[in-house]
Amino acid sequence: ARVKMTERAAALSALLKLADSHENETQIVAVRTCCNLVLDNNIRGAAIKAGVYASLEKGLLLQDKDTVRQCLASIFSVCTEDLFMEQMAKSTRIPVTLIKYISNSDHSNVTLTPEEYSLGARTLCMLSWCTRSRLFLQTKEVFLLLIALVDMGTKQQTQNQWTATTIVTSKESFSEGTESANSSGALLTSSAEWIAASIRYLLLGYGDAAAVEDLIEMGIMRSLDKLNKLPSNDEATAIRTCKSLVAALRTLVSS
């Protein structure tokens, strides 16, 4: 059925229009159908060529958690082909939307799970690693969002560490303490290696000395330092994160 849909331009066009519907239920069904097309290796290219990226981007902004999860998985599945990643970075704002999503700036009433945060961070890392898509992510806006993401996460992490030293004296306070596992601080800590690697790759070939000076004034060095100070229970992950941070510093110095 999916193959038949992609073979008929009229069917795909109608589906993409449904994804723009003002009816929430219709939009959810249409977006999730688009996700199913992208998740199919055999027809992914045809779906992307038809313009399905716009529907996936809309799906990230919906308040339906299941739809957002499927959009995250679909977007990550695209990161197997350089051409697909280039098209995504060049023709959409999905990378920017991803950073905003995992920083929770557009979903203040939505609690992210570690899996959702990790999927978004890993996708961003892949887009930054690919030389063809990286070019379109090397903007001041993206760096500002990443710096804000790290600032927000490390600030929350500090608050959580302070809270952890407080003696829990009631069932209610214990419940509040357990919720911090999904706070921005805990989420950033669990995916620090992907954020550090993203910054590392995005710095490669980024502008001239003046552009790098702007990044330093924006706080990129402070962000690297904060990522370095995040705790880690996994030595291998900590080493990979440290390597990315060192590589980022070397790039900044050489610039």
Side-chain angles (χ1 to χ4, degrees), residues 132-151:
R132 294 175 63 169
S133 57
R134 180 195 307 155
L135 177 64
F136 303 99
L137 271 64
Q138 292 175 312
T139 65
K140 190 173 183 178
E141 178 186 20
V142 168
F143 276 108
L144 281 171
L145 287 171
L146 284 172
I147 290 170
L149 173 69
V150 173
D151 285 347

PDB file of all heavy atoms in Angstrom, residues 132-151:
ATOM      1  N   ARG A 132      27.738  17.532   3.991  1.00  0.00           N
ATOM      2  CA  ARG A 132      26.782  18.138   3.060  1.00  0.00           C
ATOM      3  C   ARG A 132      25.664  18.877   3.775  1.00  0.00           C
ATOM      4  O   ARG A 132      25.154  19.885   3.272  1.00  0.00           O
ATOM      5  CB  ARG A 132      26.213  17.058   2.133  1.00  0.00           C
ATOM      6  CG  ARG A 132      27.258  16.465   1.218  1.00  0.00           C
ATOM      7  CD  ARG A 132      26.725  15.318   0.380  1.00  0.00           C
ATOM      8  NE  ARG A 132      25.668  15.718  -0.549  1.00  0.00           N
ATOM      9  CZ  ARG A 132      25.202  14.940  -1.521  1.00  0.00           C
ATOM     10  NH1 ARG A 132      25.709  13.720  -1.694  1.00  0.00           N
ATOM     11  NH2 ARG A 132      24.247  15.357  -2.321  1.00  0.00           N
ATOM     12  N   SER A 133      25.270  18.404   4.938  1.00  0.00           N
ATOM     13  CA  SER A 133      24.214  19.082   5.693  1.00  0.00           C
ATOM     14  C   SER A 133      24.779  20.091   6.683  1.00  0.00           C
ATOM     15  O   SER A 133      24.122  21.078   7.023  1.00  0.00           O
ATOM     16  CB  SER A 133      23.350  18.062   6.440  1.00  0.00           C
ATOM     17  OG  SER A 133      24.133  17.252   7.297  1.00  0.00           O
ATOM     18  N   ARG A 134      26.007  19.850   7.133  1.00  0.00           N
ATOM     19  CA  ARG A 134      26.633  20.732   8.126  1.00  0.00           C
ATOM     20  C   ARG A 134      26.673  22.181   7.657  1.00  0.00           C
ATOM     21  O   ARG A 134      26.448  23.108   8.438  1.00  0.00           O
ATOM     22  CB  ARG A 134      28.047  20.249   8.422  1.00  0.00           C
ATOM     23  CG  ARG A 134      28.801  21.106   9.442  1.00  0.00           C
ATOM     24  CD  ARG A 134      30.288  20.798   9.403  1.00  0.00           C
ATOM     25  NE  ARG A 134      30.530  19.371   9.557  1.00  0.00           N
ATOM     26  CZ  ARG A 134      31.619  18.766   9.099  1.00  0.00           C
ATOM     27  NH1 ARG A 134      32.555  19.449   8.456  1.00  0.00           N
ATOM     28  NH2 ARG A 134      31.774  17.473   9.276  1.00  0.00           N
ATOM     29  N   LEU A 135      26.943  22.372   6.398  1.00  0.00           N
ATOM     30  CA  LEU A 135      27.081  23.721   5.846  1.00  0.00           C
ATOM     31  C   LEU A 135      25.876  24.595   6.152  1.00  0.00           C
ATOM     32  O   LEU A 135      26.013  25.792   6.412  1.00  0.00           O
ATOM     33  CB  LEU A 135      27.285  23.622   4.329  1.00  0.00           C
ATOM     34  CG  LEU A 135      27.377  24.939   3.545  1.00  0.00           C
ATOM     35  CD1 LEU A 135      28.610  25.713   3.978  1.00  0.00           C
ATOM     36  CD2 LEU A 135      27.398  24.672   2.050  1.00  0.00           C
ATOM     37  N   PHE A 136      24.686  23.997   6.162  1.00  0.00           N
ATOM     38  CA  PHE A 136      23.459  24.760   6.350  1.00  0.00           C
ATOM     39  C   PHE A 136      23.093  24.915   7.829  1.00  0.00           C
ATOM     40  O   PHE A 136      22.143  25.625   8.156  1.00  0.00           O
ATOM     41  CB  PHE A 136      22.310  24.083   5.590  1.00  0.00           C
ATOM     42  CG  PHE A 136      22.593  23.925   4.124  1.00  0.00           C
ATOM     43  CD1 PHE A 136      23.039  22.714   3.614  1.00  0.00           C
ATOM     44  CD2 PHE A 136      22.446  24.997   3.259  1.00  0.00           C
ATOM     45  CE1 PHE A 136      23.321  22.570   2.262  1.00  0.00           C
ATOM     46  CE2 PHE A 136      22.735  24.860   1.901  1.00  0.00           C
ATOM     47  CZ  PHE A 136      23.172  23.651   1.408  1.00  0.00           C
ATOM     48  N   LEU A 137      23.861  24.246   8.690  1.00  0.00           N
ATOM     49  CA  LEU A 137      23.635  24.382  10.127  1.00  0.00           C
ATOM     50  C   LEU A 137      24.631  25.349  10.771  1.00  0.00           C
ATOM     51  O   LEU A 137      24.457  25.723  11.939  1.00  0.00           O
ATOM     52  CB  LEU A 137      23.750  23.019  10.818  1.00  0.00           C
ATOM     53  CG  LEU A 137      22.493  22.162  10.934  1.00  0.00           C
ATOM     54  CD1 LEU A 137      21.984  21.756   9.559  1.00  0.00           C
ATOM     55  CD2 LEU A 137      22.757  20.937  11.780  1.00  0.00           C
ATOM     56  N   GLN A 138      25.649  25.729  10.034  1.00  0.00           N
ATOM     57  CA  GLN A 138      26.676  26.597  10.598  1.00  0.00           C
ATOM     58  C   GLN A 138      26.233  28.054  10.552  1.00  0.00           C
ATOM     59  O   GLN A 138      26.759  28.877   9.812  1.00  0.00           O
ATOM     60  CB  GLN A 138      27.992  26.396   9.850  1.00  0.00           C
ATOM     61  CG  GLN A 138      28.603  25.027  10.098  1.00  0.00           C
ATOM     62  CD  GLN A 138      29.844  24.777   9.265  1.00  0.00           C
ATOM     63  OE1 GLN A 138      29.866  25.009   8.063  1.00  0.00           O
ATOM     64  NE2 GLN A 138      30.895  24.273   9.919  1.00  0.00           N
ATOM     65  N   THR A 139      25.225  28.332  11.383  1.00  0.00           N
ATOM     66  CA  THR A 139      24.668  29.681  11.453  1.00  0.00           C
ATOM     67  C   THR A 139      24.715  30.179  12.894  1.00  0.00           C
ATOM     68  O   THR A 139      24.795  29.394  13.848  1.00  0.00           O
ATOM     69  CB  THR A 139      23.203  29.697  10.979  1.00  0.00           C
ATOM     70  OG1 THR A 139      22.398  28.914  11.896  1.00  0.00           O
ATOM     71  CG2 THR A 139      23.078  29.109   9.577  1.00  0.00           C
ATOM     72  N   LYS A 140      24.639  31.468  13.028  1.00  0.00           N
ATOM     73  CA  LYS A 140      24.649  32.082  14.356  1.00  0.00           C
ATOM     74  C   LYS A 140      23.440  31.621  15.159  1.00  0.00           C
ATOM     75  O   LYS A 140      23.532  31.399  16.376  1.00  0.00           O
ATOM     76  CB  LYS A 140      24.665  33.602  14.215  1.00  0.00           C
ATOM     77  CG  LYS A 140      24.912  34.356  15.509  1.00  0.00           C
ATOM     78  CD  LYS A 140      25.079  35.838  15.241  1.00  0.00           C
ATOM     79  CE  LYS A 140      25.392  36.596  16.518  1.00  0.00           C
ATOM     80  NZ  LYS A 140      25.605  38.045  16.261  1.00  0.00           N
ATOM     81  N   GLU A 141      22.305  31.481  14.482  1.00  0.00           N
ATOM     82  CA  GLU A 141      21.079  31.053  15.166  1.00  0.00           C
ATOM     83  C   GLU A 141      21.252  29.679  15.818  1.00  0.00           C
ATOM     84  O   GLU A 141      20.875  29.470  16.976  1.00  0.00           O
ATOM     85  CB  GLU A 141      19.907  31.012  14.183  1.00  0.00           C
ATOM     86  CG  GLU A 141      18.606  30.540  14.818  1.00  0.00           C
ATOM     87  CD  GLU A 141      17.486  30.367  13.805  1.00  0.00           C
ATOM     88  OE1 GLU A 141      17.788  30.241  12.595  1.00  0.00           O
ATOM     89  OE2 GLU A 141      16.320  30.343  14.228  1.00  0.00           O
ATOM     90  N   VAL A 142      21.826  28.732  15.077  1.00  0.00           N
ATOM     91  CA  VAL A 142      22.011  27.382  15.605  1.00  0.00           C
ATOM     92  C   VAL A 142      22.950  27.391  16.809  1.00  0.00           C
ATOM     93  O   VAL A 142      22.681  26.746  17.831  1.00  0.00           O
ATOM     94  CB  VAL A 142      22.539  26.431  14.503  1.00  0.00           C
ATOM     95  CG1 VAL A 142      23.006  25.113  15.113  1.00  0.00           C
ATOM     96  CG2 VAL A 142      21.466  26.178  13.458  1.00  0.00           C
ATOM     97  N   PHE A 143      24.044  28.133  16.713  1.00  0.00           N
ATOM     98  CA  PHE A 143      24.981  28.189  17.834  1.00  0.00           C
ATOM     99  C   PHE A 143      24.347  28.851  19.059  1.00  0.00           C
ATOM    100  O   PHE A 143      24.566  28.408  20.195  1.00  0.00           O
ATOM    101  CB  PHE A 143      26.259  28.927  17.433  1.00  0.00           C
ATOM    102  CG  PHE A 143      27.268  28.060  16.741  1.00  0.00           C
ATOM    103  CD1 PHE A 143      27.523  28.195  15.392  1.00  0.00           C
ATOM    104  CD2 PHE A 143      27.968  27.091  17.451  1.00  0.00           C
ATOM    105  CE1 PHE A 143      28.451  27.390  14.746  1.00  0.00           C
ATOM    106  CE2 PHE A 143      28.903  26.281  16.824  1.00  0.00           C
ATOM    107  CZ  PHE A 143      29.143  26.430  15.469  1.00  0.00           C
ATOM    108  N   LEU A 144      23.570  29.892  18.842  1.00  0.00           N
ATOM    109  CA  LEU A 144      22.891  30.544  19.963  1.00  0.00           C
ATOM    110  C   LEU A 144      21.937  29.580  20.663  1.00  0.00           C
ATOM    111  O   LEU A 144      21.851  29.552  21.899  1.00  0.00           O
ATOM    112  CB  LEU A 144      22.125  31.781  19.468  1.00  0.00           C
ATOM    113  CG  LEU A 144      22.950  33.044  19.230  1.00  0.00           C
ATOM    114  CD1 LEU A 144      22.102  34.109  18.537  1.00  0.00           C
ATOM    115  CD2 LEU A 144      23.515  33.582  20.543  1.00  0.00           C
ATOM    116  N   LEU A 145      21.226  28.784  19.863  1.00  0.00           N
ATOM    117  CA  LEU A 145      20.293  27.813  20.438  1.00  0.00           C
ATOM    118  C   LEU A 145      21.031  26.727  21.217  1.00  0.00           C
ATOM    119  O   LEU A 145      20.578  26.296  22.282  1.00  0.00           O
ATOM    120  CB  LEU A 145      19.443  27.185  19.328  1.00  0.00           C
ATOM    121  CG  LEU A 145      18.375  28.085  18.710  1.00  0.00           C
ATOM    122  CD1 LEU A 145      17.760  27.421  17.481  1.00  0.00           C
ATOM    123  CD2 LEU A 145      17.284  28.407  19.733  1.00  0.00           C
ATOM    124  N   LEU A 146      22.163  26.273  20.689  1.00  0.00           N
ATOM    125  CA  LEU A 146      22.948  25.254  21.385  1.00  0.00           C
ATOM    126  C   LEU A 146      23.520  25.788  22.700  1.00  0.00           C
ATOM    127  O   LEU A 146      23.528  25.096  23.720  1.00  0.00           O
ATOM    128  CB  LEU A 146      24.081  24.757  20.483  1.00  0.00           C
ATOM    129  CG  LEU A 146      23.674  23.806  19.359  1.00  0.00           C
ATOM    130  CD1 LEU A 146      24.856  23.548  18.432  1.00  0.00           C
ATOM    131  CD2 LEU A 146      23.146  22.498  19.925  1.00  0.00           C
ATOM    132  N   ILE A 147      23.999  27.025  22.661  1.00  0.00           N
ATOM    133  CA  ILE A 147      24.528  27.644  23.872  1.00  0.00           C
ATOM    134  C   ILE A 147      23.427  27.779  24.923  1.00  0.00           C
ATOM    135  O   ILE A 147      23.622  27.489  26.109  1.00  0.00           O
ATOM    136  CB  ILE A 147      25.143  29.020  23.546  1.00  0.00           C
ATOM    137  CG1 ILE A 147      26.432  28.840  22.728  1.00  0.00           C
ATOM    138  CG2 ILE A 147      25.433  29.807  24.827  1.00  0.00           C
ATOM    139  CD1 ILE A 147      26.983  30.125  22.155  1.00  0.00           C
ATOM    140  N   ALA A 148      22.237  28.192  24.473  1.00  0.00           N
ATOM    141  CA  ALA A 148      21.101  28.319  25.396  1.00  0.00           C
ATOM    142  C   ALA A 148      20.689  26.956  25.941  1.00  0.00           C
ATOM    143  O   ALA A 148      20.325  26.819  27.117  1.00  0.00           O
ATOM    144  CB  ALA A 148      19.924  28.975  24.674  1.00  0.00           C
ATOM    145  N   LEU A 149      20.753  25.926  25.088  1.00  0.00           N
ATOM    146  CA  LEU A 149      20.420  24.564  25.507  1.00  0.00           C
ATOM    147  C   LEU A 149      21.344  24.088  26.620  1.00  0.00           C
ATOM    148  O   LEU A 149      20.891  23.539  27.631  1.00  0.00           O
ATOM    149  CB  LEU A 149      20.525  23.625  24.300  1.00  0.00           C
ATOM    150  CG  LEU A 149      20.380  22.123  24.561  1.00  0.00           C
ATOM    151  CD1 LEU A 149      18.949  21.797  24.967  1.00  0.00           C
ATOM    152  CD2 LEU A 149      20.757  21.326  23.319  1.00  0.00           C
ATOM    153  N   VAL A 150      22.640  24.316  26.444  1.00  0.00           N
ATOM    154  CA  VAL A 150      23.616  23.911  27.460  1.00  0.00           C
ATOM    155  C   VAL A 150      23.433  24.730  28.737  1.00  0.00           C
ATOM    156  O   VAL A 150      23.465  24.182  29.851  1.00  0.00           O
ATOM    157  CB  VAL A 150      25.051  24.067  26.929  1.00  0.00           C
ATOM    158  CG1 VAL A 150      26.069  23.798  28.040  1.00  0.00           C
ATOM    159  CG2 VAL A 150      25.291  23.128  25.760  1.00  0.00           C
ATOM    160  N   ASP A 151      23.225  26.028  28.591  1.00  0.00           N
ATOM    161  CA  ASP A 151      23.037  26.889  29.763  1.00  0.00           C
ATOM    162  C   ASP A 151      21.835  26.433  30.583  1.00  0.00           C
ATOM    163  O   ASP A 151      21.893  26.344  31.807  1.00  0.00           O
ATOM    164  CB  ASP A 151      22.846  28.348  29.333  1.00  0.00           C
ATOM    165  CG  ASP A 151      24.140  29.000  28.892  1.00  0.00           C
ATOM    166  OD1 ASP A 151      25.213  28.412  29.143  1.00  0.00           O
ATOM    167  OD2 ASP A 151      24.088  30.080  28.277  1.00  0.00           O
TER     168      ASP A 151
END
